[in-house]
Amino acid sequence: MGNILYYFIIYPIELIIEVAFYTIHHISGNPGIAIIGVSLIVNFLAYPLYKRADAIQEAERNKQEEMSRWTDHIRKHFKGDERVMMLSAYYREQHYQPYYTLRSSVSLLLQIPFFIAAYHFLSHLSKLNGASFLFISDLSQPDALIRLGAFSVNLLPILMTLFNFCSAAIYTRGFSWKNKWQLYAIAVIFLVLLYNRPSGLVFYWTLNNLFSLLKNVFTKLLKLSGNKEKPAVDTKTEPAPEEKSYAPLRVFITGVALLAVLMGLLIPSAVIASSPTEFIEADASRNPLVYVFNTFCVSAGMFLLWFSIFYALATARIRDRFCFAVFCLSGIFLADYFFFGKNLGTMSSFLVFDEEPYYSLWNRAGNIILLCVIIALFFVIWRRFRKNLAWIYLVGLISLIIMSLINIINIGKVLKDSDYISSDRIDVKSDQILTLSKTGKNVVFIMLDRAIGVYGPYIFAEKPELKEQFSGFTLFPNTISFGTCTNIGTPPLFGGYEYTPTEINKRSSESLASKQNEADLMLPVLFSENGFKTTVCDPPYVNYHYAGDLSIFDAYPEIDAYNTRNPNAQPAQQARATTRKRVFFMYSVFKVAPTLLQRAVYCEGDYRLYLSENTDPFTKAAFMDSYVVLENLGSMTMVDDSPDNTYFSLVNDITHEPQELQLPYYEPAGNVRNSGLETYFRTDDEGNVLDLEKPNHYYVNMAAMLQIGKWLDYLKENGVYDNTRIIIAADHGRRLHEVESLLIDDDDMMDVNPLFLYKDFDAKEFNISDEFMTHADAPALAVEGLIDNPVNPFTGKEINSDEKTAHDQLVTMSRHWDVLKYNGNTFDTSDRSWYAVHDNIFDKNNWKKTENPE
């Protein structure tokens, strides 16, 4: 209940504060200036509320003074029930209710949520750490501006209290002590609460008090000059005729309800319904509908609560204008969501696109034209039919609710089917599930999702110690994958050349999921049938589920299958949940904003939020889930003297989740400080320079090599390195536009340039080879010399790499990655080009655009 109230009442204000701070800090680069800007914005937005609250309080004081002669008389001459009855009768005669006394505390009640929001945001903002401004040396610490020997005095809280006292003295001039003491008491309370708090927070609240002081001075000067405003609130219960509102309350209520449902229910439920399993935690403990509920709380708080508070405290004329603004917003938001900003690219479960959204000229110009037409049309409708708009709103509201319910029902259906998620999970810090023999032959196959091949030479040049750790390995930068995404890339990686996209599409009578399962099973079943002790961890896309499904191994009890994504990693799960909770409402803002503003709202995936404040790199998303697995490979490994041969495969996502890591060790840190350490270029041993457009991708590739390198040292120390064959490869690369020779027409071949590392038994030296490879070579290398005449146990076809030299290799650049959508019998590659490639992939002449082989 506490969280619900927080997201309903406090978080909408905190969100405005955060977006304002982010934007100003992004422009100025100075947290102190950002705090000043936030204070100005908040005071500007809250000014109508406080102005109206002051008027209400003044009216209440005037009414109390008007009635005081008789109320004092009744209290003096009557007691008990008789006093109560006399007061009640008098209040009825004066059209006054006892609870009206609360109106004298309206300003205080309004200050509380604004204070809590600012306190929560600024007290935990790491951007203030070490930041100085003017006479403040560190905005994240108490100011300690006055030092008396070993003691220090915080000056800002005292200055804040003085401003408070001055403001209260001016505001309450002429008031009775009964009406004064409350403000002075509040000033003292704030002094106690904020004295030892971060100076950034105290600076913000001091500015608020200063602005309040200036407002009170200005107001008093106006009154003294004879420009006293007319009372904004009539002490009678009925409004004066000129104050009558022509916009019925039901029009406003249905309007803000429509906005709340659109942004809080429909948009988030539509996103989750498009791919529900991506939002389910690996241990199935978190229902993704919680994100819909949370976003609706924020949306309802923003529109139904705070818009209603503004409406309730506004004058009749302002209410009419406010209703018209809500009416226009509803039309603009609906038009933007349903007709514009479509097909913006592939988006992760953290609502981040693979590439910056692109908008055509028509998308932008057409959007502006339509919005102008909507405003003009709505103005005419407003003038003529405003009293009947509630019915139009009601129809729209019911339609949006029905669409939202359909999405929620569809999500529920997927959740019912989520029992495929296996409970066979391990604690990577204690469970030894990888057994390696000192006397037998061991084969290890590690897939690093989206690891980039061209990074390899630069990684090993930057960290020469890796060459010693990876002794015996050959790095093949001249490697291609057959597609740009996991559903196309993993079948050939684990199944070989008969599972390339062209070969899979030839088997058009079988489902893609069944062919994916075959590829996942091929090597484990083959090694198991040939006497190898076989262990598989995190097989990809089993039954076309994104993660957690081990059911295909039920028919093979001799094969041990596990999920390594740590179910006990509660901080990581909480971090993911917190990130999504905070992002979803801003994603709704992004979707309903005019297309000219959408990129500004999106802000490279940050949505103008400090997402790292609650989801720091130590717990952030899937990166840490994967990082801790590689970090604990030694703990997972048990070495024995048995003569058994072993096969072990592991899929790991560390390279799929770009993160800023602490240089020079490429490790996660709670507060990454790389200023002065990052040069944005790397050099290989031959002097080639790589310009890092997006260094976080390079960081995670380096982190993977460093952690695996430590595990390789462990194997050497325990005498199981020379008798272990190791393949480390990726399913595809990533388009980052960092290698000019791989930019072909509108395509970036880094997308199909996966990492490929191979170490055979007893190999000693580290090498980098220019040999042309495909990742479909991996199965043949895995079984070479260990299994006589190896054949696919499901198709009977021989496992080899003959296809590589028989013809050019056909590569699809399709980005149809979503297996929940593209899950028929053949790959739909109609969205992008196909290429035929051979030999040196860094020679543009070797890439030939070709017709879709389908």
Side-chain angles (χ1 to χ4, degrees), residues 626-666:
S626 301
Y627 184 87
V628 296
V629 173
L630 297 187
E631 186 181 37
N632 288 281
L633 278 175
S635 300
M636 295 165 57
T637 305
M638 179 174 63
V639 176
D640 64 23
D641 295 320
S642 71
D644 294 336
N645 297 327
T646 69
Y647 170 77
F648 172 77
S649 69
L650 168 70
V651 174
N652 189 272
D653 291 341
I654 184 174
T655 44
H656 193 276
E657 309 297 335
Q659 299 287 308
E660 185 177 14
L661 303 174
Q662 183 59 58
L663 300 179
Y665 305 109
Y666 295 91

Coordinates of all heavy atoms in Angstrom, one line a residue, residues 626-666:
S626 N 24.6 -12.2 -16.0 CA 25.6 -13.0 -16.8 C 27.0 -12.8 -16.3 O 27.8 -13.7 -16.4 CB 25.5 -12.5 -18.3 OG 24.2 -12.7 -18.8
Y627 N 27.3 -11.6 -15.8 CA 28.7 -11.4 -15.4 C 29.0 -12.3 -14.2 O 30.2 -12.8 -14.2 CB 28.8 -9.9 -14.9 CG 30.2 -9.5 -14.5 CD1 31.1 -9.0 -15.4 CD2 30.5 -9.5 -13.1 CE1 32.4 -8.6 -15.0 CE2 31.8 -9.1 -12.7 CZ 32.7 -8.7 -13.6 OH 33.9 -8.3 -13.2
V628 N 28.1 -12.5 -13.3 CA 28.4 -13.3 -12.1 C 28.6 -14.8 -12.5 O 29.4 -15.5 -11.8 CB 27.4 -13.2 -11.0 CG1 27.3 -11.8 -10.5 CG2 26.0 -13.7 -11.5
V629 N 28.0 -15.2 -13.6 CA 28.3 -16.6 -14.1 C 29.7 -16.7 -14.6 O 30.4 -17.7 -14.1 CB 27.3 -16.9 -15.2 CG1 27.6 -18.3 -15.8 CG2 25.8 -16.9 -14.7
L630 N 30.2 -15.8 -15.4 CA 31.6 -15.9 -15.9 C 32.5 -15.7 -14.7 O 33.6 -16.3 -14.7 CB 31.8 -14.9 -17.0 CG 31.0 -15.1 -18.3 CD1 31.4 -14.1 -19.4 CD2 31.0 -16.5 -18.8
E631 N 32.2 -14.8 -13.8 CA 33.0 -14.5 -12.7 C 33.2 -15.7 -11.8 O 34.3 -15.9 -11.2 CB 32.4 -13.4 -11.9 CG 33.3 -12.8 -10.8 CD 32.6 -11.7 -10.0 OE1 31.3 -11.8 -9.9 OE2 33.3 -10.8 -9.6
N632 N 32.2 -16.6 -11.8 CA 32.2 -17.8 -10.9 C 32.4 -19.1 -11.7 O 32.0 -20.1 -11.1 CB 30.9 -17.8 -10.1 CG 30.9 -16.7 -9.0 OD1 31.5 -16.8 -8.0 ND2 30.2 -15.6 -9.3
L633 N 32.9 -19.0 -12.9 CA 33.1 -20.3 -13.6 C 34.0 -21.3 -12.8 O 33.8 -22.5 -12.8 CB 33.7 -20.0 -15.0 CG 32.8 -19.6 -16.1 CD1 33.6 -19.2 -17.4 CD2 31.8 -20.7 -16.4
G634 N 35.0 -20.7 -12.1 CA 35.9 -21.6 -11.3 C 35.1 -22.3 -10.2 O 35.3 -23.5 -9.9
S635 N 34.2 -21.6 -9.6 CA 33.3 -22.2 -8.5 C 32.4 -23.2 -9.1 O 32.0 -24.2 -8.4 CB 32.5 -21.1 -7.8 OG 33.4 -20.1 -7.2
M636 N 32.0 -23.1 -10.3 CA 31.1 -24.1 -11.0 C 31.9 -25.3 -11.4 O 31.2 -26.3 -11.8 CB 30.4 -23.4 -12.2 CG 29.5 -22.3 -11.8 SD 29.0 -21.3 -13.3 CE 28.3 -22.5 -14.4
T637 N 33.2 -25.2 -11.5 CA 34.0 -26.3 -12.1 C 34.6 -27.3 -11.1 O 35.1 -26.8 -10.1 CB 35.1 -25.7 -12.9 OG1 34.6 -24.8 -13.9 CG2 35.9 -26.8 -13.6
M638 N 34.4 -28.5 -11.3 CA 35.0 -29.6 -10.5 C 35.9 -30.4 -11.3 O 35.5 -30.9 -12.4 CB 33.9 -30.5 -9.8 CG 34.4 -31.6 -8.9 SD 33.1 -32.5 -8.1 CE 32.2 -33.2 -9.5
V639 N 37.1 -30.6 -10.9 CA 38.1 -31.4 -11.6 C 38.3 -32.7 -10.9 O 38.4 -32.8 -9.7 CB 39.5 -30.7 -11.6 CG1 40.5 -31.5 -12.3 CG2 39.3 -29.3 -12.3
D640 N 38.2 -33.8 -11.7 CA 38.4 -35.2 -11.1 C 39.4 -36.0 -11.9 O 39.8 -35.6 -13.0 CB 37.1 -35.9 -10.9 CG 36.4 -36.2 -12.2 OD1 37.0 -36.3 -13.2 OD2 35.1 -36.3 -12.1
D641 N 39.7 -37.2 -11.4 CA 40.7 -38.0 -12.1 C 40.0 -39.1 -12.9 O 40.7 -40.1 -13.4 CB 41.6 -38.7 -11.1 CG 42.5 -37.6 -10.4 OD1 43.0 -36.7 -11.1 OD2 42.7 -37.7 -9.2
S642 N 38.7 -39.0 -13.1 CA 38.0 -40.1 -13.8 C 38.4 -40.1 -15.3 O 38.8 -39.0 -15.8 CB 36.5 -39.9 -13.7 OG 36.1 -38.8 -14.4
P643 N 38.3 -41.3 -15.9 CA 38.7 -41.3 -17.3 C 37.6 -40.9 -18.3 O 37.7 -40.9 -19.5 CB 39.0 -42.8 -17.5 CG 38.0 -43.5 -16.5 CD 38.0 -42.6 -15.3
D644 N 36.5 -40.4 -17.7 CA 35.3 -40.0 -18.5 C 35.7 -38.8 -19.4 O 36.3 -37.8 -19.0 CB 34.1 -39.6 -17.6 CG 33.6 -40.8 -16.9 OD1 33.8 -41.9 -17.3 OD2 33.0 -40.5 -15.8
N645 N 35.2 -38.9 -20.6 CA 35.2 -37.7 -21.5 C 34.0 -36.8 -21.2 O 33.0 -37.3 -20.7 CB 35.1 -38.1 -23.0 CG 36.3 -38.9 -23.4 OD1 37.4 -38.7 -22.9 ND2 36.1 -39.9 -24.3
T646 N 34.1 -35.5 -21.3 CA 33.0 -34.6 -20.9 C 32.8 -33.6 -22.1 O 33.7 -33.2 -22.8 CB 33.4 -33.8 -19.7 OG1 34.4 -32.9 -19.9 CG2 33.8 -34.8 -18.5
Y647 N 31.5 -33.2 -22.1 CA 31.1 -32.1 -23.0 C 30.3 -31.1 -22.2 O 29.4 -31.5 -21.4 CB 30.3 -32.6 -24.2 CG 29.6 -31.5 -25.0 CD1 30.4 -30.7 -25.9 CD2 28.3 -31.1 -24.8 CE1 29.8 -29.7 -26.6 CE2 27.7 -30.1 -25.6 CZ 28.5 -29.4 -26.4 OH 27.9 -28.3 -27.2
F648 N 30.6 -29.8 -22.3 CA 29.9 -28.8 -21.5 C 29.6 -27.6 -22.5 O 30.5 -27.1 -23.2 CB 30.7 -28.3 -20.4 CG 30.2 -27.1 -19.7 CD1 29.1 -27.2 -18.8 CD2 30.7 -25.8 -19.9 CE1 28.6 -26.1 -18.1 CE2 30.2 -24.7 -19.2 CZ 29.1 -24.9 -18.3
S649 N 28.4 -27.1 -22.5 CA 28.0 -25.9 -23.3 C 27.4 -24.9 -22.4 O 26.6 -25.3 -21.4 CB 27.1 -26.3 -24.5 OG 25.9 -26.6 -24.0
L650 N 27.6 -23.6 -22.6 CA 27.1 -22.6 -21.9 C 26.7 -21.4 -22.8 O 27.5 -21.0 -23.6 CB 28.1 -22.1 -20.8 CG 27.8 -20.8 -20.1 CD1 26.6 -20.9 -19.1 CD2 29.0 -20.3 -19.3
V651 N 25.5 -20.8 -22.6 CA 25.2 -19.6 -23.3 C 25.1 -18.5 -22.3 O 24.5 -18.6 -21.2 CB 23.8 -19.7 -24.0 CG1 23.3 -18.4 -24.6 CG2 23.8 -20.8 -25.1
N652 N 25.8 -17.4 -22.6 CA 25.9 -16.3 -21.7 C 25.7 -14.9 -22.4 O 26.1 -14.7 -23.5 CB 27.3 -16.2 -21.1 CG 27.5 -15.3 -19.9 OD1 27.8 -14.1 -20.1 ND2 27.2 -15.7 -18.7
D653 N 24.9 -14.0 -21.8 CA 24.5 -12.8 -22.4 C 25.3 -11.6 -22.0 O 24.9 -10.5 -22.3 CB 23.0 -12.5 -22.0 CG 22.0 -13.5 -22.6 OD1 22.4 -14.2 -23.6 OD2 20.9 -13.6 -22.1
I654 N 26.4 -11.7 -21.4 CA 27.2 -10.6 -20.9 C 27.5 -9.6 -22.0 O 27.4 -8.4 -21.8 CB 28.5 -11.1 -20.2 CG1 29.3 -9.9 -19.7 CG2 29.4 -11.8 -21.2 CD1 30.5 -10.2 -18.8
T655 N 27.8 -10.1 -23.2 CA 28.1 -9.2 -24.3 C 26.9 -8.6 -25.0 O 27.1 -7.8 -25.9 CB 29.0 -9.9 -25.3 OG1 28.5 -11.2 -25.6 CG2 30.4 -10.1 -24.8
H656 N 25.8 -9.0 -24.6 CA 24.5 -8.5 -25.2 C 24.0 -7.3 -24.5 O 23.1 -6.6 -24.9 CB 23.4 -9.6 -25.1 CG 22.2 -9.3 -26.0 ND1 21.2 -8.5 -25.5 CD2 21.9 -9.7 -27.3 CE1 20.3 -8.5 -26.5 NE2 20.7 -9.1 -27.5
E657 N 24.6 -7.0 -23.3 CA 24.1 -5.9 -22.4 C 25.2 -4.9 -22.2 O 25.9 -4.9 -21.3 CB 23.7 -6.5 -21.1 CG 22.7 -7.7 -21.2 CD 21.4 -7.3 -21.8 OE1 21.0 -6.2 -21.8 OE2 20.8 -8.3 -22.4
P658 N 25.3 -3.9 -23.2 CA 26.3 -2.9 -23.1 C 26.2 -2.1 -21.8 O 25.1 -1.6 -21.4 CB 26.1 -2.0 -24.3 CG 24.7 -2.3 -24.7 CD 24.4 -3.7 -24.4
Q659 N 27.3 -1.9 -21.1 CA 27.4 -1.2 -19.8 C 28.6 -0.4 -19.7 O 29.7 -0.7 -20.3 CB 27.4 -2.2 -18.7 CG 26.2 -3.1 -18.6 CD 25.0 -2.4 -18.1 OE1 25.0 -1.8 -17.1 NE2 23.9 -2.5 -18.8
E660 N 28.5 0.8 -19.1 CA 29.7 1.5 -18.7 C 30.4 0.8 -17.5 O 29.7 0.6 -16.5 CB 29.4 3.0 -18.4 CG 30.7 3.8 -18.1 CD 30.4 5.2 -17.9 OE1 29.2 5.6 -17.6 OE2 31.3 6.0 -17.9
L661 N 31.6 0.4 -17.7 CA 32.3 -0.3 -16.6 C 33.5 0.6 -16.2 O 34.0 1.5 -16.9 CB 32.8 -1.6 -17.1 CG 31.7 -2.6 -17.6 CD1 32.3 -3.8 -18.2 CD2 30.7 -2.9 -16.4
Q662 N 34.0 0.3 -15.0 CA 35.1 1.1 -14.5 C 36.4 0.7 -15.2 O 36.9 -0.4 -15.1 CB 35.3 0.9 -13.0 CG 36.3 1.8 -12.4 CD 36.1 3.3 -12.6 OE1 35.0 3.8 -12.2 NE2 37.1 3.9 -13.2
L663 N 37.1 1.7 -15.8 CA 38.4 1.5 -16.4 C 39.5 1.7 -15.3 O 39.2 2.3 -14.3 CB 38.6 2.5 -17.5 CG 37.6 2.5 -18.7 CD1 37.9 3.6 -19.7 CD2 37.6 1.2 -19.4
P664 N 40.6 1.0 -15.5 CA 41.0 0.3 -16.7 C 40.8 -1.2 -16.5 O 41.2 -2.0 -17.4 CB 42.5 0.5 -16.6 CG 42.9 0.6 -15.2 CD 41.7 1.3 -14.5
Y665 N 40.0 -1.6 -15.5 CA 39.8 -3.1 -15.2 C 38.5 -3.6 -15.8 O 38.3 -4.8 -15.7 CB 39.9 -3.3 -13.7 CG 41.2 -2.8 -13.1 CD1 41.1 -1.7 -12.2 CD2 42.4 -3.4 -13.3 CE1 42.3 -1.2 -11.7 CE2 43.5 -2.9 -12.8 CZ 43.5 -1.8 -11.9 OH 44.6 -1.3 -11.4
Y666 N 37.7 -2.8 -16.4 CA 36.5 -3.2 -17.0 C 35.6 -4.0 -16.0 O 35.1 -5.1 -16.3 CB 36.7 -4.0 -18.3 CG 37.4 -3.1 -19.3 CD1 38.8 -3.1 -19.4 CD2 36.6 -2.4 -20.2 CE1 39.4 -2.3 -20.4 CE2 37.2 -1.6 -21.2 CZ 38.6 -1.5 -21.3 OH 39.2 -0.8 -22.3

